[in-house]
Amino acid sequence: TFRDTVILVTFCQHLCLDIFRMLEYLETVLPPTTGAIIEGFDHWMGAFTMDPKVCQQHFETHIPVWLIWKPDHVPEDMKVLKEVEV
Protein backbone atom coordinates (compact mmCIF):
# COMPACT_ATOMS: atom_id res chain seq x y z
CA THR A 1 0.00 0.00 0.00
CA PHE A 2 0.99 3.64 -0.26
CA ARG A 3 1.41 3.94 3.52
CA ASP A 4 3.84 1.01 3.58
CA THR A 5 5.82 2.54 0.70
CA VAL A 6 6.11 5.85 2.55
CA ILE A 7 7.33 4.05 5.68
CA LEU A 8 9.86 2.03 3.65
CA VAL A 9 11.21 5.15 1.88
CA THR A 10 11.48 6.98 5.20
CA PHE A 11 13.38 4.05 6.73
CA CYS A 12 15.77 3.93 3.75
CA GLN A 13 16.42 7.68 3.98
CA HIS A 14 17.13 7.36 7.69
CA LEU A 15 19.52 4.46 7.03
CA CYS A 16 21.35 6.37 4.27
CA LEU A 17 21.75 9.42 6.50
CA ASP A 18 23.15 7.23 9.28
CA ILE A 19 25.65 5.67 6.88
CA PHE A 20 26.76 9.04 5.48
CA ARG A 21 27.09 10.45 9.00
CA MET A 22 29.24 7.50 10.06
CA LEU A 23 31.45 7.80 6.97
CA GLU A 24 31.90 11.53 7.57
CA TYR A 25 32.81 10.82 11.20
CA LEU A 26 35.38 8.21 10.18
CA GLU A 27 36.96 10.52 7.59
CA THR A 28 37.25 13.52 9.93
CA VAL A 29 40.79 13.98 11.17
CA LEU A 30 41.01 15.62 14.56
CA PRO A 31 44.15 17.51 15.61
CA PRO A 32 46.00 16.15 18.62
CA THR A 33 44.89 17.52 21.96
CA THR A 34 46.78 20.40 23.49
CA GLY A 35 47.18 21.15 27.15
CA ALA A 36 47.23 18.88 30.14
CA ILE A 37 45.54 15.51 30.06
CA ILE A 38 43.73 14.84 33.31
CA GLU A 39 43.05 11.35 34.61
CA GLY A 40 39.30 10.76 34.64
CA PHE A 41 36.99 8.84 36.93
CA ASP A 42 35.66 5.59 35.50
CA HIS A 43 32.55 5.63 37.69
CA TRP A 44 31.38 9.22 37.33
CA MET A 45 31.48 11.62 34.42
CA GLY A 46 29.96 15.00 33.83
CA ALA A 47 30.63 18.68 34.30
CA PHE A 48 29.77 21.50 36.66
CA THR A 49 29.66 24.92 35.06
CA MET A 50 28.45 28.45 35.60
CA ASP A 51 28.42 29.26 31.87
CA PRO A 52 25.11 28.64 30.03
CA LYS A 53 26.93 28.19 26.67
CA VAL A 54 29.14 25.43 28.09
CA CYS A 55 26.05 23.87 29.65
CA GLN A 56 24.26 23.86 26.28
CA GLN A 57 27.29 22.34 24.49
CA HIS A 58 27.54 19.53 27.04
CA PHE A 59 23.79 18.92 26.88
CA GLU A 60 23.90 18.67 23.07
CA THR A 61 26.74 16.13 23.24
CA HIS A 62 24.85 14.08 25.87
CA ILE A 63 27.35 14.74 28.65
CA PRO A 64 25.74 15.11 32.08
CA VAL A 65 26.02 18.74 33.16
CA TRP A 66 25.05 20.72 36.22
CA LEU A 67 24.52 24.46 35.80
CA ILE A 68 25.45 26.27 39.00
CA TRP A 69 23.72 29.61 39.49
CA LYS A 70 22.53 31.63 42.43
CA PRO A 71 18.72 31.40 42.68
CA ASP A 72 18.25 35.10 41.90
CA HIS A 73 20.14 34.69 38.57
CA VAL A 74 17.92 31.90 37.21
CA PRO A 75 15.59 33.19 34.47
CA GLU A 76 11.86 32.76 35.05
CA ASP A 77 11.37 30.69 31.87
CA MET A 78 14.18 28.20 32.64
CA LYS A 79 13.03 24.66 33.42
CA VAL A 80 14.69 23.49 36.65
CA LEU A 81 14.43 19.74 37.19
CA LYS A 82 15.83 19.70 40.73
CA GLU A 83 17.21 22.35 43.00
CA VAL A 84 20.05 21.24 45.28
CA GLU A 85 21.20 22.98 48.45
CA VAL A 86 24.95 22.82 49.12
Side-chain angles (χ1 to χ4, degrees):
T1 66
F2 178 74
R3 184 173 185 272
D4 293 336
T5 304
V6 169
I7 291 172
L8 182 63
V9 169
T10 305
F11 177 75
C12 291
Q13 286 176 339
H14 181 79
L15 185 62
C16 287
L17 287 173
D18 279 346
I19 291 169
F20 286 128
R21 184 179 60 217
M22 180 57 78
L23 290 173
E24 183 178 350
Y25 171 77
L26 293 174
E27 291 174 352
T28 303
V29 178
L30 296 176
T33 59
T34 58
I37 297 176
I38 300 171
E39 189 69 31
F41 295 109
D42 61 350
H43 61 280
W44 189 64
M45 186 174 88
F48 293 91
T49 183
M50 297 177 76
D51 186 357
K53 291 181 183 177
V54 172
C55 183
Q56 185 64 33
Q57 290 172 343
H58 281 72
F59 176 76
E60 289 172 357
T61 55
H62 304 286
I63 296 174
V65 61
W66 292 265
L67 182 61
I68 301 172
W69 273 358
K70 293 182 178 178
D72 54 334
H73 288 99
V74 178
E76 293 292 326
D77 61 342
M78 181 179 281
K79 182 178 180 182
V80 177
L81 296 179
K82 185 175 183 181
E83 187 174 331
V84 178
E85 292 287 328
V86 179

